[in-house]
Amino acid sequence: EDSFREKMLKNISAHRGTVPELETRPHAQLAFCIDVRSESFRRHIEAQGSYETFGFAGFFGIPISHQAFDSDQRVSLCPLLLTPDHAVTETPRSGEGAALEKYSSGTRWHQLGRHLFHDLKYHPIGSMMVIDVLGFFFSLGLVGKTLLQKTFRAMTSTIQSGLTHRVPTQISISTPSNPQNPRIGEVNAEGIPDGLSQGFSLTERATFIENGLRAMGLTKNFARLVCLCGHGSETDNNPYYGALDCGACGGAPGDANARVFAAMANEPEVRRILKEKGLPIPDDTWFLPGKHNTTTDRVEFYDLEELPDSHKEDLQALNKDLEEAGAKQALERCHRIPGAPTEISPEQALAHVDKRSCDWANTRPEWGLAGNAAFLIGRRKLTKGLDLGGRVFLHSYDPIADPQGAILEK
């Protein structure tokens, strides 16, 4: 550990002063989790062009109790040391009645099939019939998932997309006009447990965004696209899957937190308050939520229905560069994964890690946080372009903007 520390500090010292200040407006700015898997991905996307990246805990400073669409369970998306005070719910977008009705119809048939299968499987006589009738279909799945992993996944995805219907959703962030406060042990009309308030007030929304932007040092020279990238993993039959998701979100993916942050930051009223507090955001800056899949090295964006037409070319260029960065990230990770091929192209490496994500015999499709050896809090110019081997947590922090150390203390 001493030798690692001395080598890392020596490299950072030698690197100091070699990164010039970015005078022009960047193509895009991307905020990733402080996770070690983000370190190398940030390095590769920065190498694609005029991009600026930031590191911030993957819940983006907004602890929430989140209920996903068509789910009856709530999940606390925040570090385990915190308790969320605010509840948010993923709901269908307005005007999506036809899509919702198709989805509901498909869901009813799906639920009927599941309940029927469950009842037959546990019935003393029905269980024997199920083996004879459905055994052949289960054997197809066994062979497909074992020998034809990617092909089988593509086939099942095609069948599933044909039988089900996607419903565009949004996450509610505003406080209802007539909130109901339940008694202890009860839930209100919106299904919110006691102790939680539905959504955030305008003042709270502005405060969360101000604290988040100041904490990561993003207070000037905003790009047209500012992307909040939560992260999660994709595995099959993996007992360690929880360890591969975002620790700052309690072992769950952080895309919901990114969507909440972006929705707040795009509100005109929130920006008006921030401007009064000395934090002006340009009118053409758009905050876009996404998720970095740390197993497949791809980035998926959400709430594209709200993206202005003027920013679609910017997103198209960003997606192309993210694909290139993901391929190089995959190749770098292949050199760290035992048994993975190394004498391959970045595109072949991207295909390899994608295959690992659907291999139901692979309990370690990626290493997660294994190998983490340091936590660096500072400006990106200290390490930009420096290869830290995917072993360092990187939290953005500008000490010049924090003379009293209040942000650092938090």
Side-chain angles (χ1 to χ4, degrees):
E1 291 179 357
D2 282 344
S3 62
F4 175 87
R5 175 187 175 186
E6 291 175 5
K7 181 180 179 181
M8 186 186 70
L9 293 178
K10 182 179 179 180
N11 290 339
I12 292 176
S13 297
H15 191 68
R16 179 178 294 178
T18 62
V19 180
E21 291 285 352
L22 188 63
E23 300 293 340
T24 59
R25 195 179 192 186
H27 294 329
Q29 292 161 320
L30 302 97
F32 289 89
C33 184
I34 58 177
D35 196 287
V36 292
R37 291 164 289 183
S38 301
E39 182 272 317
S40 49
F41 196 96
R42 290 173 60 183
R43 176 164 25 92
H44 290 302
I45 186 60
E46 288 170 344
Q48 297 302 310
S50 180
Y51 292 106
E52 195 172 20
T53 68
F54 298 85
F56 195 58
F59 76 120
F60 298 107
I62 306 179
I64 55 175
S65 174
H66 175 253
Q67 183 174 0
F69 171 62
D70 202 19
S71 172
D72 57 357
Q73 295 184 346
R74 288 196 163 273
V75 179
S76 295
L77 299 181
C78 59
L80 297 179
L81 294 175
L82 303 180
T83 301
D85 295 324
H86 301 273
V88 297
T89 305
E90 185 181 8
T91 58
R93 289 185 174 273
S94 58
E96 297 294 341
L100 181 60
E101 185 155 345
K102 288 183 179 180
Y103 176 86
S104 299
S105 300
T107 300
R108 290 191 188 99
W109 284 108
H110 179 65
Q111 294 289 350
L112 175 63
R114 285 183 58 188
H115 287 303
L116 180 61
F117 175 72
H118 181 274
D119 292 342
L120 288 174
K121 185 171 67 171
Y122 287 98
H123 192 276
I125 300 177
S127 59
M128 299 180 184
M129 298 171 56
V130 168
I131 293 175
D132 292 333
V133 175
L134 299 181
F136 173 73
F137 296 99
F138 278 97
S139 66
L140 291 179
L142 177 67
V143 173
K145 292 178 68 173
T146 304
L147 303 178
L148 306 168
Q149 296 155 350
K150 293 184 68 174
T151 303
F152 181 77
R153 182 178 63 177
M155 292 173 57
T156 53
S157 297
T158 302
I159 295 173
Q160 186 176 8
S161 62
L163 297 176
T164 59
H165 299 273
R166 177 183 174 273
V167 179
T169 62
Q170 60 187 2
I171 295 183
S172 58
I173 59 172
S174 301
T175 302
S177 55
N178 295 313
Q180 300 183 23
N181 294 320
R183 295 191 297 270
I184 298 298
E186 294 185 352
V187 297
N188 62 18
E190 288 80 24
I192 308 302
D194 63 277
L196 294 176
S197 61
Q198 172 68 55
F200 304 80
S201 67
L202 177 59
T203 302
E204 289 172 333
R205 299 199 293 271
T207 300
F208 274 116
I209 298 304
E210 180 186 12
N211 290 344
L213 293 178
R214 292 195 187 280
M216 70 176 77
L218 179 54
T219 57
K220 58 183 179 179
N221 198 24
F222 287 86
R224 283 170 53 83
L225 276 181
V226 179
C227 304
L228 289 308
C229 293
H231 70 94
S233 63
E234 179 183 348
T235 59
D236 189 9
N237 189 39
N238 186 357
Y240 305 111
Y241 74 95
L244 301 181
D245 285 335
C246 182
C249 297
D255 44 338
N257 299 76
R259 294 178 72 181
V260 170
F261 190 104
M264 292 180 176
N266 286 328
E267 286 188 295
E269 283 299 302
V270 168
R271 295 196 181 189
R272 178 185 60 79
I273 295 175
L274 295 181
K275 187 175 181 180
E276 294 173 354
K277 293 186 176 184
L279 187 56
I281 300 176
D283 293 337
D284 65 344
T285 291
W286 187 261
F287 288 79
L288 186 64
K291 180 171 73 173
H292 170 208
N293 189 323
T294 56
T295 313
T296 63
D297 292 318
R298 298 179 185 274
V299 176
E300 175 187 5
F301 291 110
Y302 299 92
D303 301 327
L304 296 177
E305 298 87 351
E306 302 174 16
L307 182 70
D309 292 338
S310 57
H311 288 63
K312 290 185 177 178
E313 287 188 10
D314 300 78
L315 178 59
Q316 188 176 6
L318 174 60
N319 278 327
K320 183 176 180 296
D321 288 336
L322 285 171
E323 188 80 8
E324 292 284 338
K328 293 180 179 178
Q329 158 84 340
L331 181 59
E332 179 177 329
R333 288 204 302 118
C334 283
H335 285 266
R336 295 198 290 263
I337 299 175
T342 55
E343 300 301 321
I344 54 177
S345 67
E347 292 72 23
Q348 291 172 321
L350 194 62
H352 174 76
V353 296
D354 184 56
K355 182 178 179 181
R356 296 178 75 92
S357 70
C358 61
D359 182 359
W360 71 332
N362 195 330
T363 56
R364 293 181 180 84
E366 57 157 296
W367 279 116
L369 300 182
N372 172 225
F375 190 170
L376 195 150
I377 305 172
R379 285 171 289 183
R380 178 56 173 157
K381 64 183 300 182
L382 283 174
T383 55
K384 185 175 182 179
L386 190 63
D387 187 353
L388 299 175
R391 302 193 64 187
V392 179
F393 275 67
L394 293 177
H395 201 306
S396 296
Y397 170 71
D398 186 0
I400 296 177
D402 186 33
Q404 303 301 320
I407 295 176
L408 179 61
E409 182 179 0
K410 290 181 180 181

